Amino acid sequence: MATQSIDVKVASNGRMVLPASVRKAMGLHGDAKVILTVEDDQVRLSPMGHGVSRAQALYREHAKQTRTVDDFLSDRKAEAVAEAGEPSHSDPQGNPA
């Protein structure tokens, strides 16, 4: 979408209506949530789903290996044991020996 400026009235209770052309350009249909970002004296609206999609894409781009939550917890347990100076009594999967 090309940059455009639209005058929008803000009611005394803070409510405003996004024009249909803006909602369409943002891909908003029916009830929707947006992320409102305030930077200095400007406000940016982003569709909630776009932020999630961007985060997921970044994760997929940078994830080097497939790991499960159990793998993560096992690693943290081994680190805690090592920091405490205690010998580990579990196999590499975190199961007791």
Side-chain angles (χ1 to χ4, degrees):
M1 177 177 161
T3 301
Q4 67 183 56
S5 295
I6 301 172
D7 290 337
V8 177
K9 181 181 177 184
V10 179
S12 61
N13 64 2
R15 291 182 184 221
M16 63 181 179
V17 175
L18 291 178
S21 62
V22 173
R23 294 192 311 270
K24 182 178 178 182
M26 294 177 68
L28 301 176
H29 307 285
D31 288 344
K33 287 192 173 192
V34 295
I35 298 168
L36 188 139
T37 305
V38 179
E39 187 173 330
D40 297 324
D41 64 345
Q42 297 186 353
V43 174
R44 182 175 61 237
L45 295 176
S46 305
M48 182 69 80
H50 289 192
V52 172
S53 297
R54 280 193 300 258
Q56 290 171 335
L58 282 171
Y59 172 78
R60 282 190 294 278
E61 180 181 330
H62 296 287
K64 302 286 187 233
Q65 54 185 315
T66 304
R67 294 182 40 89
T68 65
V69 171
D70 289 335
D71 294 336
F72 173 80
L73 294 174
S74 176
D75 290 349
R76 298 297 82 76
K77 182 178 178 183
E79 288 174 7
V81 168
E83 286 178 9
E86 301 173 13
S88 177
H89 297 291
S90 61
D91 66 17
Q93 299 299 319
N95 299 315

